[in-house]
Amino acid sequence: MDNNRQIEQETRQPPPSLPPNAQLPINRCNLPAVILGSLTFQEHPVALEIDGIRDFHAGLFRTLDAMEQRDERAQRFIDYMTVRFLLEELEEAGLTPGRKRKSRINANYLRMVRGWSFDSDGREGAILKRWVESRFGLLARHHAGPLLDPSGDAYHRYISEGTRGLYATNALEAQLDLLFTYCQYELTREHGENTHLKLYRGINRMDEHEILETRPCGRNRVLLNNLNSFTSNRERADEFGDYILMAQVPTSKVFFYNKLLPGMLKGEDEYVVIGGAYEVCISSI
């Protein structure tokens, strides 16, 4: 009876909320960070939309609606991005002579995604985490080191890399906005009313994520970084750590995944997921 009462009491207690130091008061999304980063959102998700993007590119999505084949839609999206952002006409996009300037304007959405896949703690990773901060209001917790101390070296390196990486680029944040919106469009077409994906993440140490609460039966409530790599293949997750973190991830929190565009990511089952508070199961290999 005592154990049953304890479990019942734990069940009735409200889940821990997103810590104040993990969120911004404003974002560019249809929900504030305190809601979209909460455990309640994980259990009862709704669609996430970056302000104005779907309406601004309505013509693209009307065209995609008429296409039955995913590969055909993917190619149309790639072509649209190329034309809309002048990715093959850099002079028209504002390129001025000089190698440094060319490097900045060449920083496009595909390069960001591939850079993340190669090293999520590199420059592209910093840019993507900064983008998540501005669009969803979820602060990064880790980038080549903990970011909890605003006066620390790791934090200053992160801010410097992200800010310099975004400066004088070819509307890079707008490219990422549209990539996320297209990803959500494709997930809705593929999964319909299914709101969650069972995904896995390999970790080497239990302290890689901030534990908000320990629950019965190996469950934990954790605070994830604002952007994270997962996989749909448990055996693949085994290759990346001694512990396996399993989560029911809302499809509305998937930023992109490898099958979204041909050849976009190296890993066959990689999903890049927006963070916040999650209830997960952690098991050893």
Side-chain angles (χ1 to χ4, degrees), residues 85 132 219 228 253 255 279:
F85 295 101
V132 172
R219 292 176 296 147
N228 312 267
K253 277 196 166 183
F255 175 23
E279 182 163 296

Side-chain angles (χ1 to χ4, degrees), residues 100-130:
K100 187 175 182 181
R101 177 63 176 166
K102 184 175 182 179
S103 175
R104 291 190 186 281
I105 206 166
N106 267 325
N108 59 50
Y109 73 107
L110 289 172
R111 183 165 295 186
M112 295 302 105
V113 169
R114 291 165 181 158
W116 170 276
S117 181
F118 179 74
D119 180 11
S120 62
D121 284 330
R123 182 185 64 178
E124 290 83 2
I127 293 170
L128 292 179
K129 291 168 189 174
R130 292 284 285 170

Side-chain angles (χ1 to χ4, degrees), residues 143-154:
H143 184 78
L147 301 178
L148 304 183
D149 179 9
S151 64
D153 291 341

Side-chain angles (χ1 to χ4, degrees), residues 42 187 191 194-201 229-235 237 244-251 254 269-271 273 278-281:
Q42 183 194 11
L187 286 171
H191 295 282
N194 294 329
T195 58
H196 291 81
L197 298 170
K198 181 186 287 188
L199 300 179
Y200 305 90
R201 176 175 171 83
S229 286
F230 279 78
T231 176
S232 58
N233 187 331
R234 191 188 189 285
E235 293 182 357
I244 301 297
L245 183 154
M246 187 279 287
Q248 292 289 343
V249 174
T251 55
V254 177
D269 305 292
E270 184 174 0
Y271 288 76
V273 172
Y278 281 79
E279 182 163 296
V280 302
C281 291

Side-chain angles (χ1 to χ4, degrees), residues 67-137:
M67 297 180 172
E68 295 297 327
Q69 299 300 319
R70 184 178 64 182
D71 289 347
E72 184 183 8
R73 295 194 299 272
Q75 189 58 56
R76 178 57 61 91
F77 174 77
I78 292 171
D79 293 343
Y80 182 89
M81 294 288 281
T82 300
V83 173
R84 184 77 188 189
F85 295 101
L86 302 173
L87 299 183
E88 295 180 354
E89 300 174 7
L90 299 182
E91 291 186 2
E92 291 189 28
L95 173 65
T96 55
R99 182 178 300 176
K100 187 175 182 181
R101 177 63 176 166
K102 184 175 182 179
S103 175
R104 291 190 186 281
I105 206 166
N106 267 325
N108 59 50
Y109 73 107
L110 289 172
R111 183 165 295 186
M112 295 302 105
V113 169
R114 291 165 181 158
W116 170 276
S117 181
F118 179 74
D119 180 11
S120 62
D121 284 330
R123 182 185 64 178
E124 290 83 2
I127 293 170
L128 292 179
K129 291 168 189 174
R130 292 284 285 170
W131 174 81
V132 172
E133 290 183 344
S134 68
R135 270 42 182 179
F136 301 99

Side-chain angles (χ1 to χ4, degrees), residues 3-63:
N3 289 337
N4 290 337
R5 280 198 298 269
Q6 181 180 358
I7 293 174
E8 183 179 356
Q9 183 179 11
E10 289 179 346
T11 303
R12 290 177 178 176
Q13 290 177 348
S17 61
L18 186 69
N21 68 347
Q23 58 183 278
L24 292 173
I26 58 174
N27 62 17
R28 301 183 187 182
C29 185
N30 58 323
L31 290 177
V34 69
I35 293 177
L36 69 88
S38 69
L39 288 162
T40 301
F41 185 89
Q42 183 194 11
E43 186 174 356
H44 304 288
V46 296
L48 293 179
E49 297 182 6
I50 299 173
D51 296 341
I53 299 303
R54 186 68 180 259
D55 292 336
F56 191 72
H57 300 280
L60 167 64
F61 292 101
R62 284 195 298 268
T63 300

